[in-house]
Amino acid sequence: MVQKTAEKLSIVIPVYNEERTLSLLLEKVAAAPLSIDREVIIVNDGSTDQSEEIVRKFMAQDHAFEVKYLRRNNGGKGAAVRDGIAASTGSVLIIQDGDLEYEPNEFERCIEPILSGEYQVIYGSRERKKHNGYSNLRFYLGGLAVTWFIDILFGCNLTDEPTCYKTFCGDLIRALDYENDDFGWEPEVTCKLLRLGYKIKEVGISYTPRHIAEGKKIRWHDGLKAFMITLKWRFCSMKKFEHLRKKVFMPER
């Protein structure tokens, strides 16, 4: 098994053409109040706008934490997140999109249950905080439907499976592989964790939605794929999980 790492939060930021919001987002990430150290891992997924220049300017600043920058050919959010996870070293890891839909000031709320040893997986739920809006009714209802489907098949009580603020024990998520390079990485990881017996704790978070015209990239077919992924990992043979059982820290039963 992997040895425990230093007490530190790895903030993985997949970026694809986020020049409109990236500079302010990085400022917020740098200023977010935390009770532990941080490292920022920015993965540029083949951006064709000014995102790289913005990252370079951020890296040139004097930070009290390490900034890692990875550049790859465009392969999808899941592929970018995978690269970021592989480069991480923190005891806790959170995913932060390159836009301003989620508030970095709420990192601490997401990591506290992991730091206290209560849970190994925390999801920041937009549904568990009042007065959050949504970008598109169709996408919103689709996200609720995917969440409901997972709840029914796995007997859990999630309210917001598609949330960006997925937070993990670092050693766990580095050991948990996945095969989807697009948005499908999210339901795949969720279903694998549930199938392996992990409990996912939700905490309420703020959400400022953006619309497709503002750069939102998820599409309706990503929702359909999420249903297929859920079915696959709920009903596949447990033999497919044997290698994962040997790699991850199994929860107490």
Side-chain angles (χ1 to χ4, degrees):
M1 289 187 178
V2 182
Q3 296 297 314
K4 291 188 74 64
T5 52
E7 201 79 317
K8 177 172 59 180
L9 175 64
S10 297
I11 305 165
V12 174
I13 309 176
V15 173
Y16 178 66
N17 290 346
E18 299 288 2
E19 64 179 8
R20 180 176 167 273
T21 57
L22 186 57
S23 181
L24 180 55
L25 182 277
L26 292 175
E27 290 179 15
K28 285 176 170 282
V29 167
L34 284 175
S35 60
I36 60 174
D37 292 336
R38 78 196 72 190
E39 66 176 2
V40 177
I41 305 167
I42 306 165
V43 186
N44 187 343
D45 190 39
S47 295
T48 57
D49 63 358
Q50 300 299 308
S51 292
E52 177 155 2
E53 286 75 7
I54 293 170
V55 174
R56 297 291 184 189
K57 289 180 181 179
F58 178 73
M59 294 178 67
Q61 299 171 15
D62 185 19
H63 299 294
F65 51 84
E66 183 178 7
V67 181
K68 300 177 182 178
Y69 180 49
L70 310 176
R71 202 182 195 291
R72 52 168 294 122
N73 293 328
N74 181 248
K77 181 179 179 179
V81 168
R82 182 189 293 110
D83 284 359
I85 291 171
S88 69
T89 60
S91 55
V92 187
L93 183 146
I94 192 168
I95 310 301
Q96 168 71 62
D97 281 350
D99 54 34
L100 293 173
E101 289 191 316
Y102 295 80
E103 179 50 62
N105 279 341
E106 297 181 338
F107 284 160
E108 188 72 26
R109 183 179 302 172
C110 295
I111 70 174
E112 194 280 329
I114 295 178
L115 295 176
S116 67
E118 296 179 80
Y119 294 89
Q120 295 191 58
V121 185
I122 302 295
Y123 282 8
S125 171
R126 296 163 289 184
E127 294 301 310
R128 292 192 182 275
K129 190 165 186 178
K130 294 181 179 180
H131 310 305
N132 282 332
Y134 54 84
S135 60
N136 178 287
L137 181 60
R138 181 178 59 185
F139 292 161
Y140 173 69
L141 294 176
L144 292 181
V146 169
T147 302
W148 172 82
F149 195 56
I150 290 174
D151 284 347
I152 292 296
L153 291 185
F154 288 90
C156 54
N157 191 33
L158 297 177
T159 64
D160 187 12
E161 192 287 324
T163 179
C164 164
Y165 270 8
K166 290 178 167 64
T167 315
F168 310 92
C169 169
D171 289 329
L172 170 61
I173 193 59
R174 282 187 287 271
L176 187 75
D177 54 15
Y178 59 87
E179 60 191 38
N180 281 275
D181 288 341
D182 53 13
F183 289 100
W185 82 272
E186 301 196 54
E188 181 184 350
V189 165
T190 300
C191 293
K192 284 182 173 179
L193 288 168
L194 292 171
R195 190 78 187 271
L196 287 167
Y198 285 90
K199 297 187 188 316
I200 300 175
K201 166 76 173 177
E202 289 186 321
V203 296
I205 59 167
S206 304
Y207 181 62
T208 305
R210 68 173 178 171
H211 301 274
I212 291 177
E214 298 174 294
K216 194 170 185 67
K217 298 173 179 65
I218 195 166
R219 297 293 184 266
W220 63 268
H221 52 78
D222 294 304
L224 293 180
K225 185 174 181 179
F227 285 102
M228 301 305 296
I229 290 170
T230 300
L231 286 170
K232 172 181 177 178
W233 292 107
R234 175 60 184 87
F235 295 110
C236 69
S237 169
M238 281 304 294
K239 289 183 179 180
K240 290 184 176 291
F241 290 88
E242 288 179 359
H243 73 291
L244 289 178
R245 287 183 180 278
K246 297 174 182 177
K247 291 171 61 180
V248 303
F249 297 103
M250 292 302 298
E252 292 183 0
R253 297 289 183 170

